[in-house]
Amino acid sequence: MLPLKTALAAAVAFVSAPALAQEQSAQARGEADEITVTGRAQRLYRVEQTTVGKSAEDPMNIPQAVQVINADLFADQGARDATDIYRNISGVTAFSYAGVTFRGFRQDQSFYDGQRGNPFIGFSVPQLFNIERVEVLKGPAGLFFGPGSPGGIINYVSKIPSDKTGLRAVITGGTYDRIGISAEATGPVDRQGVVTYRLGGFYESMDPYRRNTQNKSRIGDAGIAIKTNEGGKLTLQATLYDSTYQANRLRGVLVDDRGNFLTSIRWNANEKTDFLRLRSEAYQARYATAIGDRVTFDAGVRYFKATETQQYHEPRGLDPANPDLVRREFRDQIRPVDGLSFMANLTARVDLLGMEHKFQAGGDWYRETSILRSRILRAGVTSLSLSNPVYGSGAGDAARAASLPFTVTETRSRRKGAYLQDQISITDALLLVAGVRYDKFEDGVTTSTGATVSGRSRYADNDVTFRGGAVFKPRRDVSLYASWSQSFEPQAAADQNRDAGGPFAPITGNQLEGGVKTQLFGGRLQANAAAYRILRKNILQVDPTRSPVNGVDPLAPIGEVTSKGFEFDLTTDLTPNWVLLANYGYNDTRITGTVPGQAITNAVGDRFANAPKHQLGFWTRYQVPAIRAAFAFGGEHVSRRISLSGQTVKPYTVFDASITKGLGFAELLLRVDNLFDTVYAASGFSAQSGHFPGEPRTFLTELRLRF
């Protein structure tokens, strides 16, 4: 442990040195600033522009629901990873790991700076240390981002080098032996500010509440930006992730059909010797420039490589002969993934026939290779008691599994597309939007055991999708909009097996949405509302009229799902020192076309798993300038859901609170999550694996130093 701490200290010193030297120079000139926690309420946790449409745009001009979660809200809520911010997004709840339920549909995709290439593959959750803001575009986003779920997309915007010199260091402590340290520095390299830099380092360790578990995460982040011409900048970034999770390749805790946990939420099917390790790296370059005052151009390339190695005990449900025992199997899996993406976007404002047109055109290309090497030991694995688990008997399962051959599944995917959109300013109060996109994709899967290939499939197709909308502003601070947009998704590559009846055409969908966005009282009150209807067709199901081929159930595209809902988001200054953020989402997702007796994936009967009808979140913060402190209180409510096995996932309501205190030289955050220590399930999974429990009451403290 001592070498690690020494290395961390050296890293923090290295990160801090350039900014600290400039800070000391500033102090010599009498320019030092004092850290305060006040004066932030009227910033409303908001940004005035978003790039979720591939170019900088006011959200008031976008004919779809948009939410942006910025760094101020991260800091005030003590957010560590993606799961900490879902409660701030109407229509979004947790599903599993980094996956969410988005307007009723399961969604596992994430984008970084507008591009595909998520380094947190498989069962790891995106960290927020090097993220400036999270942009959420709701509904089909295929025009700009290509094939995907119709619920919406989440885009993580990275921190980049700044012209302003700054140094920030954070020391963290809390429940479950949490301890951490991070530092980041940014500023100009030369006197003219032609070249700027950013360096960051993050380390955190904790022993979570589930038995046997321990987590350690490290992030190294570096960037350099070069002003290449007037209005032009080239930004180069590299990020390394290194996470080790002891006994934390987690499933849930078993429940009865009414959703009651059958044992303590600390129960864990994993042995101390089980683990999950993620090693990943991401590199990207982005060039953006203005050409005159009416044309902008940007292009980017992103490459990532990740390997997730895991050995763990998978729960397989209750033993029929003894309902206190949970059967287990041992899994040894290696998941290497690498991806490369390119994109380019051009925006031009042109006056035609007395109207201003904002033309956007662009294209993107993505290549990904994903390999799963898996071997599963089923015989001789000891069951585990729910009431009195005794660990240690499974420690030798890894050695026994090593004698088994790996089954290797290699998936290769290609995506390329191009889009064109025109935003027409008919008058100052009326905007029309129309766009079209062409996509082509190719997927291939090869499965083998040893040197024997047991399956091979390949499928390629293309599609054209459209988007249209209108925005009407009866006044500058009120925006009424309506839109219609299409989506499509390639079927899962594994389902294109010819024995299953493949290849199959993509899943298609469309959405109708209407709503209102406001920025009233000089922007001090933002109230946005949206209503939508999503229709999704061509979903595969097992075809009961045909017999299996080579042991593979035949599939047919005979599914249709309709999602209808309403969302409301509010952010307002109640007083100059008191801010309130609240959101509510109602959703009703049902299967509206199917074959009797057959179920769509992630659905039971006509209902979708982990899709609540009601979701509510809020956060309020009151600052007291006289004592240089701020007090905050928040909560979340999620209504009843069902799991993948049809078991009830009980509704829950949890509350959080925090105090932030200015110390003159620093800022101190004290935060408690799940204030009343409520036992609840954050989401449901299966009868064999149980529900994912929510965290019990936890405490977090951060000492923040900023120069």
Side-chain angles (χ1 to χ4, degrees), residues 163-205:
D163 294 332
K164 184 178 180 181
T165 298
L167 167 66
R168 181 176 187 264
V170 179
I171 301 171
T172 304
T175 313
Y176 308 119
D177 295 327
R178 184 197 295 266
I179 186 170
I181 185 170
S182 65
E184 47 192 319
T186 188
V189 173
D190 61 308
R191 290 183 178 275
Q192 292 75 31
V194 174
V195 180
T196 54
Y197 78 96
R198 180 181 182 276
L199 290 172
F202 173 93
Y203 170 79
E204 189 167 279
S205 173

mmCIF file of all heavy atoms in Angstrom, residues 163-205:
data_model
loop_
_atom_site.group_PDB
_atom_site.id
_atom_site.type_symbol
_atom_site.label_atom_id
_atom_site.label_comp_id
_atom_site.label_asym_id
_atom_site.label_seq_id
_atom_site.Cartn_x
_atom_site.Cartn_y
_atom_site.Cartn_z
ATOM 1 N N ASP A 163 -8.183 28.349 -20.839
ATOM 2 C CA ASP A 163 -7.273 29.491 -20.921
ATOM 3 C C ASP A 163 -6.950 30.045 -19.545
ATOM 4 O O ASP A 163 -5.953 30.747 -19.373
ATOM 5 C CB ASP A 163 -7.900 30.612 -21.767
ATOM 6 C CG ASP A 163 -8.068 30.191 -23.218
ATOM 7 O OD1 ASP A 163 -7.282 29.346 -23.684
ATOM 8 O OD2 ASP A 163 -8.981 30.705 -23.881
ATOM 9 N N LYS A 164 -7.801 29.733 -18.578
ATOM 10 C CA LYS A 164 -7.635 30.288 -17.239
ATOM 11 C C LYS A 164 -6.888 29.298 -16.358
ATOM 12 O O LYS A 164 -7.241 28.130 -16.261
ATOM 13 C CB LYS A 164 -9.008 30.590 -16.629
ATOM 14 C CG LYS A 164 -8.938 31.264 -15.265
ATOM 15 C CD LYS A 164 -10.334 31.586 -14.748
ATOM 16 C CE LYS A 164 -10.266 32.252 -13.375
ATOM 17 N NZ LYS A 164 -11.625 32.558 -12.840
ATOM 18 N N THR A 165 -5.848 29.793 -15.686
ATOM 19 C CA THR A 165 -5.075 28.943 -14.796
ATOM 20 C C THR A 165 -5.912 28.508 -13.602
ATOM 21 O O THR A 165 -6.613 29.323 -12.994
ATOM 22 C CB THR A 165 -3.829 29.690 -14.291
ATOM 23 O OG1 THR A 165 -3.011 30.013 -15.411
ATOM 24 C CG2 THR A 165 -3.043 28.836 -13.305
ATOM 25 N N GLY A 166 -5.854 27.229 -13.282
ATOM 26 C CA GLY A 166 -6.610 26.734 -12.137
ATOM 27 C C GLY A 166 -6.048 25.443 -11.602
ATOM 28 O O GLY A 166 -5.469 24.639 -12.339
ATOM 29 N N LEU A 167 -6.181 25.266 -10.325
ATOM 30 C CA LEU A 167 -5.787 24.030 -9.656
ATOM 31 C C LEU A 167 -6.884 23.647 -8.690
ATOM 32 O O LEU A 167 -7.380 24.488 -7.932
ATOM 33 C CB LEU A 167 -4.477 24.208 -8.891
ATOM 34 C CG LEU A 167 -4.105 23.087 -7.899
ATOM 35 C CD1 LEU A 167 -3.830 21.783 -8.645
ATOM 36 C CD2 LEU A 167 -2.904 23.490 -7.063
ATOM 37 N N ARG A 168 -7.283 22.380 -8.726
ATOM 38 C CA ARG A 168 -8.318 21.886 -7.823
ATOM 39 C C ARG A 168 -7.856 20.549 -7.255
ATOM 40 O O ARG A 168 -7.414 19.675 -8.000
ATOM 41 C CB ARG A 168 -9.645 21.719 -8.566
ATOM 42 C CG ARG A 168 -10.796 21.224 -7.702
ATOM 43 C CD ARG A 168 -12.084 21.196 -8.531
ATOM 44 N NE ARG A 168 -13.252 20.881 -7.722
ATOM 45 C CZ ARG A 168 -13.779 19.673 -7.581
ATOM 46 N NH1 ARG A 168 -13.222 18.647 -8.217
ATOM 47 N NH2 ARG A 168 -14.852 19.479 -6.840
ATOM 48 N N ALA A 169 -7.949 20.401 -5.961
ATOM 49 C CA ALA A 169 -7.631 19.138 -5.311
ATOM 50 C C ALA A 169 -8.765 18.779 -4.370
ATOM 51 O O ALA A 169 -9.358 19.654 -3.733
ATOM 52 C CB ALA A 169 -6.316 19.245 -4.543
ATOM 53 N N VAL A 170 -9.091 17.496 -4.276
ATOM 54 C CA VAL A 170 -10.198 17.023 -3.449
ATOM 55 C C VAL A 170 -9.724 15.817 -2.645
ATOM 56 O O VAL A 170 -9.161 14.868 -3.203
ATOM 57 C CB VAL A 170 -11.421 16.631 -4.300
ATOM 58 C CG1 VAL A 170 -12.547 16.130 -3.403
ATOM 59 C CG2 VAL A 170 -11.905 17.802 -5.145
ATOM 60 N N ILE A 171 -9.952 15.860 -1.345
ATOM 61 C CA ILE A 171 -9.690 14.728 -0.457
ATOM 62 C C ILE A 171 -11.036 14.203 0.018
ATOM 63 O O ILE A 171 -11.872 14.969 0.508
ATOM 64 C CB ILE A 171 -8.819 15.148 0.739
ATOM 65 C CG1 ILE A 171 -7.480 15.723 0.242
ATOM 66 C CG2 ILE A 171 -8.578 13.970 1.666
ATOM 67 C CD1 ILE A 171 -6.662 16.357 1.333
ATOM 68 N N THR A 172 -11.252 12.905 -0.124
ATOM 69 C CA THR A 172 -12.565 12.299 0.117
ATOM 70 C C THR A 172 -12.472 11.243 1.215
ATOM 71 O O THR A 172 -11.497 10.497 1.301
ATOM 72 C CB THR A 172 -13.091 11.639 -1.174
ATOM 73 O OG1 THR A 172 -13.124 12.602 -2.219
ATOM 74 C CG2 THR A 172 -14.487 11.080 -0.960
ATOM 75 N N GLY A 173 -13.504 11.172 2.033
ATOM 76 C CA GLY A 173 -13.627 10.122 3.027
ATOM 77 C C GLY A 173 -15.096 9.817 3.256
ATOM 78 O O GLY A 173 -15.966 10.585 2.861
ATOM 79 N N GLY A 174 -15.377 8.677 3.873
ATOM 80 C CA GLY A 174 -16.775 8.363 4.127
ATOM 81 C C GLY A 174 -16.988 6.967 4.629
ATOM 82 O O GLY A 174 -16.057 6.243 5.008
ATOM 83 N N THR A 175 -18.275 6.584 4.639
ATOM 84 C CA THR A 175 -18.691 5.267 5.097
ATOM 85 C C THR A 175 -18.026 4.168 4.277
ATOM 86 O O THR A 175 -17.644 4.382 3.131
ATOM 87 C CB THR A 175 -20.222 5.155 4.975
ATOM 88 O OG1 THR A 175 -20.822 6.320 5.510
ATOM 89 C CG2 THR A 175 -20.759 3.946 5.724
ATOM 90 N N TYR A 176 -17.911 2.981 4.883
ATOM 91 C CA TYR A 176 -17.337 1.799 4.239
ATOM 92 C C TYR A 176 -15.875 2.016 3.869
ATOM 93 O O TYR A 176 -15.420 1.603 2.798
ATOM 94 C CB TYR A 176 -18.158 1.398 3.002
ATOM 95 C CG TYR A 176 -19.633 1.258 3.280
ATOM 96 C CD1 TYR A 176 -20.568 2.062 2.626
ATOM 97 C CD2 TYR A 176 -20.095 0.347 4.224
ATOM 98 C CE1 TYR A 176 -21.915 1.953 2.909
ATOM 99 C CE2 TYR A 176 -21.442 0.232 4.502
ATOM 100 C CZ TYR A 176 -22.352 1.050 3.854
ATOM 101 O OH TYR A 176 -23.680 0.939 4.136
ATOM 102 N N ASP A 177 -15.153 2.687 4.777
ATOM 103 C CA ASP A 177 -13.711 2.900 4.595
ATOM 104 C C ASP A 177 -13.395 3.600 3.271
ATOM 105 O O ASP A 177 -12.339 3.363 2.667
ATOM 106 C CB ASP A 177 -12.953 1.568 4.662
ATOM 107 C CG ASP A 177 -13.052 0.927 6.037
ATOM 108 O OD1 ASP A 177 -13.117 1.669 7.029
ATOM 109 O OD2 ASP A 177 -13.075 -0.319 6.111
ATOM 110 N N ARG A 178 -14.313 4.465 2.837
ATOM 111 C CA ARG A 178 -14.046 5.222 1.610
ATOM 112 C C ARG A 178 -12.912 6.216 1.859
ATOM 113 O O ARG A 178 -12.925 6.975 2.826
ATOM 114 C CB ARG A 178 -15.296 5.978 1.164
ATOM 115 C CG ARG A 178 -15.102 6.719 -0.170
ATOM 116 C CD ARG A 178 -16.172 7.785 -0.378
ATOM 117 N NE ARG A 178 -17.491 7.247 -0.512
ATOM 118 C CZ ARG A 178 -18.092 6.965 -1.670
ATOM 119 N NH1 ARG A 178 -17.449 7.168 -2.796
ATOM 120 N NH2 ARG A 178 -19.323 6.499 -1.686
ATOM 121 N N ILE A 179 -11.949 6.230 0.968
ATOM 122 C CA ILE A 179 -10.873 7.198 1.018
ATOM 123 C C ILE A 179 -10.437 7.491 -0.407
ATOM 124 O O ILE A 179 -10.399 6.584 -1.250
ATOM 125 C CB ILE A 179 -9.679 6.702 1.867
ATOM 126 C CG1 ILE A 179 -8.638 7.812 2.013
ATOM 127 C CG2 ILE A 179 -9.067 5.429 1.291
ATOM 128 C CD1 ILE A 179 -7.561 7.500 3.009
ATOM 129 N N GLY A 180 -10.188 8.744 -0.690
ATOM 130 C CA GLY A 180 -9.805 9.080 -2.048
ATOM 131 C C GLY A 180 -9.102 10.415 -2.129
ATOM 132 O O GLY A 180 -9.172 11.242 -1.202
ATOM 133 N N ILE A 181 -8.438 10.626 -3.232
ATOM 134 C CA ILE A 181 -7.777 11.896 -3.499
ATOM 135 C C ILE A 181 -7.778 12.118 -5.000
ATOM 136 O O ILE A 181 -7.654 11.179 -5.781
ATOM 137 C CB ILE A 181 -6.340 11.914 -2.936
ATOM 138 C CG1 ILE A 181 -5.718 13.301 -3.110
ATOM 139 C CG2 ILE A 181 -5.475 10.843 -3.585
ATOM 140 C CD1 ILE A 181 -4.410 13.467 -2.368
ATOM 141 N N SER A 182 -7.976 13.349 -5.398
ATOM 142 C CA SER A 182 -7.925 13.684 -6.817
ATOM 143 C C SER A 182 -7.381 15.094 -6.967
ATOM 144 O O SER A 182 -7.453 15.904 -6.033
ATOM 145 C CB SER A 182 -9.309 13.580 -7.469
ATOM 146 O OG SER A 182 -10.198 14.554 -6.934
ATOM 147 N N ALA A 183 -6.842 15.374 -8.129
ATOM 148 C CA ALA A 183 -6.339 16.711 -8.415
ATOM 149 C C ALA A 183 -6.402 16.939 -9.910
ATOM 150 O O ALA A 183 -6.268 15.997 -10.705
ATOM 151 C CB ALA A 183 -4.907 16.873 -7.914
ATOM 152 N N GLU A 184 -6.633 18.168 -10.296
ATOM 153 C CA GLU A 184 -6.625 18.526 -11.704
ATOM 154 C C GLU A 184 -6.136 19.959 -11.849
ATOM 155 O O GLU A 184 -6.423 20.824 -11.022
ATOM 156 C CB GLU A 184 -8.012 18.351 -12.328
ATOM 157 C CG GLU A 184 -9.159 18.936 -11.538
ATOM 158 C CD GLU A 184 -10.510 18.467 -12.054
ATOM 159 O OE1 GLU A 184 -10.683 18.396 -13.283
ATOM 160 O OE2 GLU A 184 -11.390 18.176 -11.220
ATOM 161 N N ALA A 185 -5.355 20.172 -12.884
ATOM 162 C CA ALA A 185 -4.783 21.485 -13.144
ATOM 163 C C ALA A 185 -4.971 21.832 -14.604
ATOM 164 O O ALA A 185 -4.938 20.954 -15.480
ATOM 165 C CB ALA A 185 -3.303 21.499 -12.788
ATOM 166 N N THR A 186 -5.172 23.107 -14.882
ATOM 167 C CA THR A 186 -5.345 23.554 -16.257
ATOM 168 C C THR A 186 -4.826 24.971 -16.396
ATOM 169 O O THR A 186 -4.695 25.699 -15.398
ATOM 170 C CB THR A 186 -6.827 23.475 -16.675
ATOM 171 O OG1 THR A 186 -6.950 23.743 -18.068
ATOM 172 C CG2 THR A 186 -7.679 24.470 -15.898
ATOM 173 N N GLY A 187 -4.530 25.377 -17.604
ATOM 174 C CA GLY A 187 -4.043 26.738 -17.840
ATOM 175 C C GLY A 187 -3.216 26.822 -19.103
ATOM 176 O O GLY A 187 -3.010 25.828 -19.811
ATOM 177 N N PRO A 188 -2.710 28.020 -19.420
ATOM 178 C CA PRO A 188 -1.885 28.207 -20.617
ATOM 179 C C PRO A 188 -0.466 27.693 -20.408
ATOM 180 O O PRO A 188 0.077 27.748 -19.310
ATOM 181 C CB PRO A 188 -1.905 29.722 -20.821
ATOM 182 C CG PRO A 188 -2.119 30.278 -19.456
ATOM 183 C CD PRO A 188 -2.984 29.299 -18.736
ATOM 184 N N VAL A 189 0.128 27.197 -21.485
ATOM 185 C CA VAL A 189 1.517 26.757 -21.453
ATOM 186 C C VAL A 189 2.454 27.917 -21.796
ATOM 187 O O VAL A 189 3.506 28.086 -21.186
ATOM 188 C CB VAL A 189 1.732 25.583 -22.423
ATOM 189 C CG1 VAL A 189 3.208 25.212 -22.531
ATOM 190 C CG2 VAL A 189 0.923 24.362 -21.975
ATOM 191 N N ASP A 190 2.045 28.746 -22.757
ATOM 192 C CA ASP A 190 2.874 29.879 -23.182
ATOM 193 C C ASP A 190 2.193 31.186 -22.810
ATOM 194 O O ASP A 190 1.003 31.226 -22.460
ATOM 195 C CB ASP A 190 3.119 29.812 -24.693
ATOM 196 C CG ASP A 190 1.816 29.880 -25.486
ATOM 197 O OD1 ASP A 190 0.891 29.083 -25.176
ATOM 198 O OD2 ASP A 190 1.702 30.710 -26.383
ATOM 199 N N ARG A 191 2.923 32.263 -22.887
ATOM 200 C CA ARG A 191 2.402 33.566 -22.473
ATOM 201 C C ARG A 191 1.229 34.015 -23.332
ATOM 202 O O ARG A 191 0.313 34.688 -22.851
ATOM 203 C CB ARG A 191 3.515 34.619 -22.530
ATOM 204 C CG ARG A 191 4.587 34.448 -21.462
ATOM 205 C CD ARG A 191 5.602 35.570 -21.530
ATOM 206 N NE ARG A 191 6.604 35.454 -20.475
ATOM 207 C CZ ARG A 191 6.440 35.922 -19.246
ATOM 208 N NH1 ARG A 191 5.321 36.558 -18.926
ATOM 209 N NH2 ARG A 191 7.386 35.771 -18.344
ATOM 210 N N GLN A 192 1.238 33.675 -24.591
ATOM 211 C CA GLN A 192 0.165 34.096 -25.489
ATOM 212 C C GLN A 192 -1.085 33.216 -25.368
ATOM 213 O O GLN A 192 -2.136 33.555 -25.911
ATOM 214 C CB GLN A 192 0.657 34.080 -26.947
ATOM 215 C CG GLN A 192 1.704 35.135 -27.261
ATOM 216 C CD GLN A 192 3.074 34.788 -26.687
ATOM 217 O OE1 GLN A 192 3.400 33.597 -26.568
ATOM 218 N NE2 GLN A 192 3.844 35.796 -26.321
ATOM 219 N N GLY A 193 -0.977 32.112 -24.678
ATOM 220 C CA GLY A 193 -2.119 31.220 -24.526
ATOM 221 C C GLY A 193 -2.456 30.451 -25.785
ATOM 222 O O GLY A 193 -3.591 29.970 -25.939
ATOM 223 N N VAL A 194 -1.478 30.299 -26.684
ATOM 224 C CA VAL A 194 -1.718 29.520 -27.901
ATOM 225 C C VAL A 194 -1.905 28.046 -27.555
ATOM 226 O O VAL A 194 -2.726 27.351 -28.147
ATOM 227 C CB VAL A 194 -0.552 29.705 -28.899
ATOM 228 C CG1 VAL A 194 -0.724 28.784 -30.109
ATOM 229 C CG2 VAL A 194 -0.462 31.156 -29.342
ATOM 230 N N VAL A 195 -1.154 27.588 -26.579
ATOM 231 C CA VAL A 195 -1.237 26.190 -26.147
ATOM 232 C C VAL A 195 -1.712 26.154 -24.691
ATOM 233 O O VAL A 195 -1.160 26.860 -23.838
ATOM 234 C CB VAL A 195 0.123 25.480 -26.281
ATOM 235 C CG1 VAL A 195 0.008 24.020 -25.820
ATOM 236 C CG2 VAL A 195 0.637 25.549 -27.719
ATOM 237 N N THR A 196 -2.732 25.360 -24.409
ATOM 238 C CA THR A 196 -3.222 25.182 -23.043
ATOM 239 C C THR A 196 -3.225 23.699 -22.709
ATOM 240 O O THR A 196 -3.182 22.846 -23.595
ATOM 241 C CB THR A 196 -4.639 25.762 -22.876
ATOM 242 O OG1 THR A 196 -5.507 25.180 -23.875
ATOM 243 C CG2 THR A 196 -4.635 27.279 -23.058
ATOM 244 N N TYR A 197 -3.277 23.401 -21.428
ATOM 245 C CA TYR A 197 -3.173 22.013 -20.999
ATOM 246 C C TYR A 197 -4.199 21.706 -19.918
ATOM 247 O O TYR A 197 -4.769 22.589 -19.292
ATOM 248 C CB TYR A 197 -1.773 21.724 -20.437
ATOM 249 C CG TYR A 197 -1.592 22.254 -19.027
ATOM 250 C CD1 TYR A 197 -1.780 21.432 -17.916
ATOM 251 C CD2 TYR A 197 -1.292 23.600 -18.809
ATOM 252 C CE1 TYR A 197 -1.657 21.925 -16.628
ATOM 253 C CE2 TYR A 197 -1.160 24.103 -17.520
ATOM 254 C CZ TYR A 197 -1.344 23.263 -16.436
ATOM 255 O OH TYR A 197 -1.246 23.755 -15.163
ATOM 256 N N ARG A 198 -4.421 20.424 -19.706
ATOM 257 C CA ARG A 198 -5.173 19.929 -18.556
ATOM 258 C C ARG A 198 -4.566 18.606 -18.131
ATOM 259 O O ARG A 198 -4.301 17.731 -18.966
ATOM 260 C CB ARG A 198 -6.656 19.725 -18.875
ATOM 261 C CG ARG A 198 -7.432 19.208 -17.663
ATOM 262 C CD ARG A 198 -8.904 18.953 -17.928
ATOM 263 N NE ARG A 198 -9.550 18.520 -16.698
ATOM 264 C CZ ARG A 198 -9.556 17.264 -16.251
ATOM 265 N NH1 ARG A 198 -8.979 16.316 -16.967
ATOM 266 N NH2 ARG A 198 -10.150 16.953 -15.115
ATOM 267 N N LEU A 199 -4.334 18.456 -16.814
ATOM 268 C CA LEU A 199 -3.849 17.210 -16.238
ATOM 269 C C LEU A 199 -4.730 16.847 -15.055
ATOM 270 O O LEU A 199 -5.097 17.727 -14.268
ATOM 271 C CB LEU A 199 -2.397 17.341 -15.770
ATOM 272 C CG LEU A 199 -1.314 17.480 -16.841
ATOM 273 C CD1 LEU A 199 0.019 17.806 -16.185
ATOM 274 C CD2 LEU A 199 -1.196 16.193 -17.651
ATOM 275 N N GLY A 200 -5.059 15.584 -14.940
ATOM 276 C CA GLY A 200 -5.896 15.164 -13.822
ATOM 277 C C GLY A 200 -5.561 13.765 -13.360
ATOM 278 O O GLY A 200 -5.159 12.907 -14.154
ATOM 279 N N GLY A 201 -5.707 13.545 -12.063
ATOM 280 C CA GLY A 201 -5.508 12.215 -11.497
ATOM 281 C C GLY A 201 -6.541 11.941 -10.417
ATOM 282 O O GLY A 201 -6.909 12.845 -9.662
ATOM 283 N N PHE A 202 -7.045 10.708 -10.364
ATOM 284 C CA PHE A 202 -8.123 10.344 -9.440
ATOM 285 C C PHE A 202 -7.829 8.971 -8.859
ATOM 286 O O PHE A 202 -7.428 8.050 -9.570
ATOM 287 C CB PHE A 202 -9.459 10.322 -10.186
ATOM 288 C CG PHE A 202 -10.627 9.793 -9.398
ATOM 289 C CD1 PHE A 202 -11.450 10.648 -8.680
ATOM 290 C CD2 PHE A 202 -10.927 8.428 -9.385
ATOM 291 C CE1 PHE A 202 -12.529 10.157 -7.966
ATOM 292 C CE2 PHE A 202 -12.012 7.933 -8.673
ATOM 293 C CZ PHE A 202 -12.804 8.806 -7.954
ATOM 294 N N TYR A 203 -8.025 8.836 -7.542
ATOM 295 C CA TYR A 203 -7.923 7.536 -6.883
ATOM 296 C C TYR A 203 -8.976 7.468 -5.781
ATOM 297 O O TYR A 203 -9.177 8.429 -5.030
ATOM 298 C CB TYR A 203 -6.548 7.323 -6.252
ATOM 299 C CG TYR A 203 -6.503 6.102 -5.363
ATOM 300 C CD1 TYR A 203 -6.380 4.829 -5.908
ATOM 301 C CD2 TYR A 203 -6.625 6.219 -3.978
ATOM 302 C CE1 TYR A 203 -6.356 3.707 -5.096
ATOM 303 C CE2 TYR A 203 -6.601 5.096 -3.159
ATOM 304 C CZ TYR A 203 -6.472 3.845 -3.721
ATOM 305 O OH TYR A 203 -6.466 2.729 -2.927
ATOM 306 N N GLU A 204 -9.665 6.322 -5.699
ATOM 307 C CA GLU A 204 -10.622 6.127 -4.617
ATOM 308 C C GLU A 204 -10.711 4.645 -4.287
ATOM 309 O O GLU A 204 -10.694 3.792 -5.180
ATOM 310 C CB GLU A 204 -12.006 6.667 -4.992
ATOM 311 C CG GLU A 204 -12.983 6.687 -3.838
ATOM 312 C CD GLU A 204 -14.220 7.511 -4.128
ATOM 313 O OE1 GLU A 204 -14.160 8.742 -3.991
ATOM 314 O OE2 GLU A 204 -15.243 6.912 -4.518
ATOM 315 N N SER A 205 -10.814 4.361 -2.982
ATOM 316 C CA SER A 205 -10.938 2.986 -2.499
ATOM 317 C C SER A 205 -12.038 2.929 -1.460
ATOM 318 O O SER A 205 -12.212 3.869 -0.673
ATOM 319 C CB SER A 205 -9.617 2.514 -1.889
ATOM 320 O OG SER A 205 -9.764 1.248 -1.276
#
